[in-house]
Amino acid sequence: MSAPKYRLAGEPGEGKFYIETYGCQMNQSDSEVVVAVMQEAGFVYTDSLDEADVVLVNTCAIRDNAEQRIWGRLAEFRGVKRRRPWMLVGIIGCMAERLKDRLIEQEKAVDIVVGPDGYRSLPGLVRQAAGGTKAVNVLLSREETYAEISPVRLDKNGVTAFVSIMRGCNNMCSYCVVPYTRGVERSRDAETILAEVRDLFGRGYREVTLLGQNVNSYNYNDVNFAGLLARVAEVSPLLRVRFSTSHPKDFSDELIETMARYPNVCRAIHLPAQSGSSRMLELMNRRYTREWYLDRIAAIRRMLPECSISTDLIAGFCTETQEDHEATLSLMREAGYAFAYMFKYSERPNTKAQRTMRDDVPEEVKTARLTEIINLQNELSLASNRAEVGRHVEVLVEGRSKRSADEVYGRTSQNKVVILPRMNFLPGDYVRALITDCSSATLIGVPLG
Ligand code: 5AD
Ligand code: SF4
């Protein structure tokens, strides 16, 4: 099967590429690496699909609905190709890794398939596809961290940036496809992380989010995550530092103490519980119990009382009973989450759960449980926001509010969105504000003094 001849093949500076990103923050961060690699090779980035000679789709495989969305999008690209037959379509990221050449067999519009560890080979593969031979690289690596590549920031507020500190995952949660799509865990050289952060700060960025599938197991030349966090926080007291995602089993007191020592490390911790039932946690291979998890929450509340805590929850995992579900609801109340990402369990091919357990919770039960979880979280988010009303907070302004030209929005250290009157605030400004009102999603503030 050969692709139509690519009109700009091998002419640096002329092949325009467009990239679309699905899935997690790690994928957003990877897309920024991809843009850097493509530009270095002479391709020109465009944010308009209509201009693109190459379309790259950075995909997610975590739940079936994530993949269904991408199949739908690919069918649309087939339509675009009828008008512009030279256009190449590359599927990259987790779904590329999971399905490999099957993607090309199942969808004729696909010309290039590249997994998360193959991005350095992308320019060459695009040229190969342009020459008429479909191109695939789904090799996973034990070493690749794209350490010295300077990502091209796509999220253009100029204030907040993601910095990848590690790749892959060794946790093997029984429901999860990520260890198969992103390979084994490896940490990025701390010096390259610090160089990237210093460069961002020098260019006016005021917040970095350190990213990894399990940042708590970061380890590079005897620098652990608490050590890395301290060094990043020392780049400047004016730089806010966030991190995601933490695994409860590795969430240490040392890390909480480090956070407490640096006021610029944001008071927000994302600590995915997945379930409140120890029986479910065992089946999920999470390697902690409900009691362990609640002990970690208690340690955070004790050492960092002003910290907000958020989570991920899965409704309807294999064999989940009403009692297990109620344990999740009660955990949510006890933890008092400020925010949560909530999902129905979606069976993923070749995971341990798919191989050894039955996806036996009926769809309508999953839906009903998820609805209950979402309704409870709305109450908890509102309560958490109401507690902020009357308080003084520091807001880092990110940009103009979408709702009104007279307002700007930013975030508190707790990661809560605040709407402020615009006045003459600019992205990157720190504004002291009094919180006067809220909804379950946002805070309303007025500047102090
Ligand atoms: N089904 C539903 N949710 C899942 N997650 C991971 N795998 C699955 C799955 N098979 C959720 C977890 C994880 C988040 C990124 O996605 O809650 O923390
Ligand atoms: Fe991110 Fe996981 Fe989706 Fe891959 S499968 S994009 S790691 S959420």
Side-chain angles (χ1 to χ4, degrees), residues 29-142:
S29 168
D30 281 1
S31 286
E32 299 183 332
V33 166
V34 167
V35 173
V37 168
M38 290 290 284
Q39 283 187 345
E40 179 68 30
F43 290 89
V44 175
Y45 173 73
T46 171
D47 57 9
S48 154
L49 172 60
D50 295 333
E51 288 188 346
D53 306 305
V54 184
V55 173
L56 300 174
V57 191
N58 195 355
T59 59
C60 176
I62 199 133
R63 284 170 291 275
D64 186 56
N65 56 11
E67 291 197 357
Q68 291 311 323
R69 247 180 102 198
I70 290 157
W71 285 119
R73 192 65 179 136
L74 288 178
E76 288 170 25
F77 290 145
R78 216 185 304 143
V80 179
K81 273 191 155 184
R82 273 197 285 276
R83 280 178 277 128
R84 302 190 4 249
W86 64 86
M87 189 180 89
L88 295 171
V89 175
I91 302 301
I92 66 174
C94 290
M95 190 175 163
E97 190 63 50
R98 193 178 87 69
L99 294 172
K100 307 187 168 58
D101 353 23
R102 274 178 288 160
L103 265 167
I104 289 179
E105 287 155 26
Q106 281 178 33
E107 175 53 71
K108 299 276 176 282
V110 176
D111 305 288
I112 304 146
V113 176
V114 179
D117 287 344
Y119 296 148
R120 289 181 203 264
S121 68
L122 199 48
L125 296 177
V126 169
R127 294 201 171 106
Q128 176 185 328
T133 311
K134 296 208 173 196
V136 180
N137 176 7
V138 289
L139 291 175
L140 287 173
S141 157
R142 293 187 160 268

Side-chain angles (χ1 to χ4, degrees), residues 153 163 165 188 190-203 205 207-210 231-233 235-236 239-241:
R153 307 292 159 185
V163 175
I165 65 163
R188 176 179 170 192
E191 293 308 324
T192 68
I193 296 170
L194 285 162
E196 185 175 330
V197 172
R198 287 192 201 105
D199 175 62
L200 285 164
F201 185 73
R203 285 158 51 200
Y205 283 82
E207 183 181 297
V208 293
T209 303
L210 307 179
R231 292 186 63 191
V232 172
V235 166
S236 168
L239 180 73
R240 279 187 173 179
V241 187

Side-chain angles (χ1 to χ4, degrees), residues 22-27 59-63 93-94 176-178 181-182 213:
Y22 296 83
C24 61
Q25 296 172 331
M26 188 61 97
N27 255 22
T59 59
C60 176
I62 199 133
R63 284 170 291 275
C94 290
C176 190
V177 77
V178 172
T181 62
R182 287 187 166 270
Q213 243 70 44

